[in-house]
Amino acid sequence: MHHQEALTAYIAAFVQELVFSGITDVVVSPGSRSTPMAMVMAEHPNLNLHIHVDERSAAFFALGMAKATNRPTAILCTSGTAAANYFPAIVEARYSRVPLIVLTADRPHELRDVGAPQAIDQIHLYGQHVKWFSEMALPEKNHDTIRYARTVCARAAAIAIQAPAGPVHLNFPFREPLIPLLDDSLFELTERPTGYVQVHNGDLTINDDTIKEIAKILKDCKKGIIVCGNIEDSGFANAVTNLAAVLNFPILADPLSQLRSGKHSNEYIIETYDTFLRNEDAKSILKPDVVLRFGAMPVSKALTVFLKENHEADQYVIDSGGGWRDPSALTTNMIFCDETLFCENLLNFIEKQSSSGFMDDWKNINKLTKEKMLLIKNSTDLSESKLFSQISEMLPEGATLFVGNSMPIRDLDSFFINNNKSIKVMANRGANGIDGTISTALGAAIYSKQMYLVLGDLTFFHDLNGLLAAKLYDIDIHIILINNNGGGIFSFLPQSEYQKNYELLFGTPLDLDFEHVVRMYNGRFTRITNWAHIADLMNRSADLNGLNVYEIVTRRDRNLEEHREFWSMVSLEISNFVKGTRR
Amino acid sequence: MHHQEALTAYIAAFVQELVFSGITDVVVSPGSRSTPMAMVMAEHPNLNLHIHVDERSAAFFALGMAKATNRPTAILCTSGTAAANYFPAIVEARYSRVPLIVLTADRPHELRDVGAPQAIDQIHLYGQHVKWFSEMALPEKNHDTIRYARTVCARAAAIAIQAPAGPVHLNFPFREPLIPLLDDSLFELTERPTGYVQVHNGDLTINDDTIKEIAKILKDCKKGIIVCGNIEDSGFANAVTNLAAVLNFPILADPLSQLRSGKHSNEYIIETYDTFLRNEDAKSILKPDVVLRFGAMPVSKALTVFLKENHEADQYVIDSGGGWRDPSALTTNMIFCDETLFCENLLNFIEKQSSSGFMDDWKNINKLTKEKMLLIKNSTDLSESKLFSQISEMLPEGATLFVGNSMPIRDLDSFFINNNKSIKVMANRGANGIDGTISTALGAAIYSKQMYLVLGDLTFFHDLNGLLAAKLYDIDIHIILINNNGGGIFSFLPQSEYQKNYELLFGTPLDLDFEHVVRMYNGRFTRITNWAHIADLMNRSADLNGLNVYEIVTRRDRNLEEHREFWSMVSLEISNFVKGTRR
């Protein structure tokens, strides 16, 4: 009884502190060793428990909730390979800076490395991919141990959200018997009953002298550009668009910058650069002297190449997370500072600059490219590019658009046009995997009312198990499944020129009729026949609950042709335009 | 061109050496960074390539092939979370001592930790869970580098099979362009054209003086028992049964010891101990003075408890892998020696001992328990215990029986009776996970002609993606799916007495009709209606190709009752018998 009392007091204090630290959701995978933690968590009135049998999907599901809320989500599993299944989502959380609290139950010390069942070495199980690891003490019931459990909990939550946010891992050894003593006073704490320690995470700022110096350089610069990758700070859109307005700098806005949609000014937003930066004439007149870069590396390869070709430009990288996002070694000034504060502070020292021909060139070429996109929009083919060129119109106000990796995120980058709807765009761009996408979107859907997920068939296949959550929790989601029966992105890579073994190694057609599995999860499955069909379904989508899958069957070879035709047509127009401008 | 020449020569030398080192199979998951290795591998005439999109299933599929052949299987994937998905199978390989060669493609050094796409920290990615990690040099074409690549390859293969066998990890940084130069002379090697280095892995042996000492002790012992857990050495069955015969020791044979089936003598084999060691009267007359233990820890909890209660017995643990399999700290003599050699050497120093009442007690109680099992066999209920009590009769000669974790392996332990068929029994008992079971069985099926997999619904669900291999490669497999709609094992654990939240946290019913997903993979799905039905299907199973799933719907509550009724009935009989013996 003494053992169970200690077990219960220790865990209850930990769980209560978890709630005090702002954690509202935990995803639990069933198991035996984790029994005391799971049973105590289930008793807490302010903790939402989600059960997921497949730990890989469970961790991505938690990742989705954390992405949508910017709050840490907790995950709990038993000992053994269960914990190893968390690894892909933990890696993604680490690189995409999403807070996760990973709780693994473990055998106690005397049952480790001695052949006991379901016992693996869980110490530093995730290596460098968590921000913090702590092997927890065995449960005891005394003031010091309870204080310890509560501070470790508060600390773990704080570290998880500290910029750069990321996963933390606590490993709990539990001895049998594993049953806690549950009663009404479970979560009553004798000390500091409303929270043991509040952690105030500071933001990185740089001093005014440095800001003034940068302001001076920027004011003198006539050919500056701003590049924005994935960034989540809600104040950033206004801050950076205000800065662009006074500087007269174009903003090259990645789809994940959250700048292509929304109520902020879009006057300076350039969004079709992935297309026009494939053209040498455009690149020759758009060369920047200064680059201000915010957020993660942009999706666009054409932009990456363009920046690399302009390595003589001064490049300022502003990173609130103190990372080193600079794969081409271009940065001249690495500025570890909150991005929104940086923009706002800079505005204090810069007055509105006069308009520039350079800004006009960016705007004109962007406009021209958008006009040519109408040809895609007016096509009747069920093409991947057309889907993304009209998706902002198909989605309702307030929607969340989650996009799969490989081709969908690239097509979104190419064809997702500025709009003033409130559309939140999400993707797993930490490590760019095709794993866990369904689960992440479903997790995000818990906290984002209208969730639309667009992904390819391999990505859909990879996380089929994730669909279980939609069924178990009646989550509303609309999945647009682009089924080109295999790996479409490889058609754009050099290996596609080597036909021998190409389909075996890269094309990898699965030949699956996904209707079967969607039915298993009680979903509606619709094979789209034409654009009017999907437009109609999207119009009615707000009224459709549960799991809805809309399959658009496309062809990999035709898709490649369409992209190439579009790029060469735009390129021709841009070259003509540039030559006309110069004349 | 120089780059591509170096890339090609380096990788081709590595792949050729892989084949020289005895590797016949590689499981490749599609990706970009791994392109040069995948394209070269596909050219090799003596390497079987298996493609699997889901890396988690891919790694378990490779594990299955390695388990079936005792040869290392290679796996190859691209950079990023792809590699993280290998983790569960790597952990299982580590603890179940299965050789795997894990090949991950990586970004080169200048693209690491700088925000480059799909780049994660892959150095020591699997931590302590691989036997060896090596970060490979960048490809170069010169004698020293080619020698280096070939020796690392041979060494990796040797370490993987060195006892205890396990996974090794080589991480390959590759620069673009990633296309190798393929021609007819790809695998021609100028130096040592039939293999760079042969590694001769020794076996652990102990000297004759020590063997003689042990022989002396065993000869004087009237109450000795032999315990055999999972062991794969093909010569072991004869060696240990010969030893038991001269010593007059019962062999408590775990289902994974490969001793319950086969052509060796089964005179000394005791197989129903998991049932009768729950009875105190039996335990009181069966107390051993000496325990000889071989192989992994046995499945049976009753046996574990029995051994722990007899901690005063001298316990000799013989382990060819030099591990420390002793969760109850009972071992008095840890003997790091090949198990078969140990038995054979010991036989040189022991003559046949006279029969003993102790041996008779074990045999009699075992016989009594088996007789009572007839009641289960004669029942008409579609019960889990009945399935396992008759499974050896249902399977054809030469079959492989792969068993899922949680309840199936325990029921197999309880009810799988001695037989003289050649039935190989397999399970993932390194870390006892419910993950990857379908894939492991399918991988094993590549090298085991008649594969029968018995598993529960949660285990089936966890690796549904694994079924893709059956479809893509037309693998023949018969899956008996015990569907009790949730986690049946928890009914036997203390948490089942706490009904509040029980179904939420532990029962976890999925309510899935698996027929849908089996159809998606072109499988036959049959819901079993009665025992004649499945007996008939099993009779015809040898003629059925492809994926066949036979679902037996059972009830978790009824299953618990049946087990309890059986145990208490046997217990009563045994107590009567023991009291009768004593009288």
Side-chain angles (χ1 to χ4, degrees), chain A residues 434-489:
Chain A
I434 63 166
D435 46 350
T437 307
I438 292 174
S439 295
T440 314
L442 283 169
I446 300 274
Y447 284 103
S448 336
K449 266 309 108 194
Q450 306 186 74
M451 174 59 77
Y452 294 77
L453 167 63
V454 184
L455 80 181
D457 54 299
L458 294 190
T459 304
F460 188 70
F461 165 76
H462 210 293
D463 191 24
L464 280 180
N465 272 10
L467 291 173
L468 180 64
K471 173 179 172 291
L472 291 184
Y473 297 110
D474 296 322
I475 302 170
D476 301 336
I477 190 166
H478 302 278
I479 300 180
I480 299 176
L481 166 60
I482 300 167
N483 192 347
N484 55 26
N485 200 21
I489 196 166

Side-chain angles (χ1 to χ4, degrees), chain A residues 359-370:
Chain A
M359 179 74 232
D360 293 339
D361 285 343
W362 278 93
K363 279 189 182 174
N364 287 329
I365 291 175
N366 193 51
K367 186 165 165 242
L368 187 79
T369 309
K370 285 209 268 194

Side-chain angles (χ1 to χ4, degrees), chain A residues 82 105 146 242 272 320 359 396 426 558:
Chain A
I146 299 297
N242 290 342
T272 66
S320 58
M359 179 74 232
M426 299 177 83
R558 183 68 199 116

Side-chain angles (χ1 to χ4, degrees), chain A residues 486-513:
Chain A
I489 196 166
F490 295 109
S491 304
F492 293 82
L493 298 179
Q495 44 266 57
S496 63
E497 289 160 34
Y498 301 83
Q499 277 306 306
K500 184 181 173 195
N501 296 327
Y502 177 79
E503 281 296 296
L504 171 74
L505 295 174
F506 305 105
T508 61
L510 304 185
D511 295 316
L512 294 179
D513 180 350

Side-chain angles (χ1 to χ4, degrees), chain B residues 44-285:
Chain B
H44 203 293
N46 300 327
L47 201 53
N48 303 311
L49 237 73
H50 313 262
I51 307 292
H52 219 312
V53 170
D54 182 337
E55 297 85 5
R56 180 173 70 176
S57 297
F60 277 109
F61 188 72
L63 181 86
M65 280 190 278
K67 276 174 92 87
T69 60
N70 291 318
R71 280 198 307 268
T73 305
I75 52 180
L76 170 68
C77 72
T78 188
S79 64
T81 51
N85 278 279
Y86 281 168
F87 201 21
I90 286 171
V91 172
E92 174 58 25
R94 177 64 158 160
Y95 289 99
S96 58
R97 301 184 174 183
V98 177
L100 279 186
I101 299 178
V102 183
L103 309 172
T104 54
D106 197 356
R107 307 260 148 171
H109 305 73
E110 64 276 14
L111 292 179
R112 294 178 180 176
D113 202 15
V114 288
Q118 217 172 313
I120 72 168
D121 183 358
Q122 296 181 190
I123 306 296
H124 288 291
L125 185 65
Y126 310 112
Q128 305 294 320
H129 295 90
V130 289
K131 293 180 67 183
W132 191 48
F133 167 77
S134 188
E135 159 75 355
M136 297 297 289
L138 279 165
E140 286 184 54
K141 187 182 179 179
N142 57 55
H143 279 305
D144 281 346
T145 309
I146 299 298
R147 286 171 193 152
Y148 155 79
R150 295 179 67 188
T151 50
V152 170
C153 181
R155 186 176 169 189
I159 293 175
I161 54 174
Q162 224 167 56
V168 298
H169 175 207
L170 306 179
N171 189 54
F172 285 85
F174 291 136
R175 287 206 180 107
E176 295 181 14
L178 298 166
I179 308 297
L181 302 170
L182 306 176
D183 64 31
D184 291 345
S185 63
L186 189 60
F187 297 111
E188 277 174 21
L189 291 164
T190 52
E191 277 191 319
R192 309 192 189 179
T194 59
Y196 199 85
V197 49
Q198 283 190 50
V199 185
H200 304 269
N201 273 321
D203 293 318
L204 295 175
T205 55
I206 54 170
N207 64 41
D208 279 357
D209 288 346
T210 311
I211 288 280
K212 275 183 215 166
E213 269 177 56
I214 297 169
K216 187 162 178 300
I217 292 162
L218 296 179
K219 277 189 291 190
D220 293 342
C221 167
K222 294 293 167 216
K223 294 186 171 182
I225 66 172
I226 296 172
V227 175
C228 294
N230 182 211
I231 201 162
E232 294 300 329
D233 189 319
S234 58
F236 179 70
N238 280 324
V240 76
T241 48
N242 289 343
L243 182 65
V246 299
L247 286 172
N248 251 319
F249 284 7
I251 301 176
L252 282 62
D254 187 79
L256 296 168
S257 67
Q258 313 303 343
L259 293 174
R260 293 200 195 174
S261 297
K263 309 306 180 198
H264 55 270
S265 158
N266 65 13
E267 194 184 338
Y268 294 83
I269 307 270
I270 303 292
E271 79 276 47
T272 65
Y273 54 85
D274 182 63
T275 300
F276 66 70
L277 287 180
R278 294 167 194 263
N279 174 278
E280 295 301 327
D281 293 314
K283 291 202 282 187
S284 71
I285 64 165

Side-chain angles (χ1 to χ4, degrees), chain A residues 169-209:
Chain A
H169 176 207
L170 306 179
N171 189 54
F172 286 85
F174 290 136
R175 288 207 179 106
E176 295 181 15
L178 297 166
I179 308 297
L181 303 171
L182 306 176
D183 65 32
D184 291 345
S185 63
L186 188 60
F187 297 110
E188 277 174 23
L189 292 164
T190 53
E191 277 191 318
R192 307 191 190 178
T194 60
Y196 198 84
V197 49
Q198 282 189 46
V199 184
H200 304 270
N201 272 320
D203 293 317
L204 294 175
T205 55
I206 54 170
N207 62 41
D208 279 358
D209 289 345

Side-chain angles (χ1 to χ4, degrees), chain B residues 342-371:
Chain B
F342 178 82
C343 294
E344 289 171 351
N345 288 349
L346 212 46
L347 281 168
N348 295 331
F349 300 102
I350 306 176
E351 62 281 13
K352 171 78 181 157
Q353 303 298 301
S354 56
S355 64
S356 75
F358 183 70
M359 179 74 233
D360 293 339
D361 284 343
W362 278 93
K363 279 189 182 173
N364 288 330
I365 291 175
N366 192 50
K367 185 163 166 250
L368 187 77
T369 308
K370 285 210 269 195
E371 282 165 8

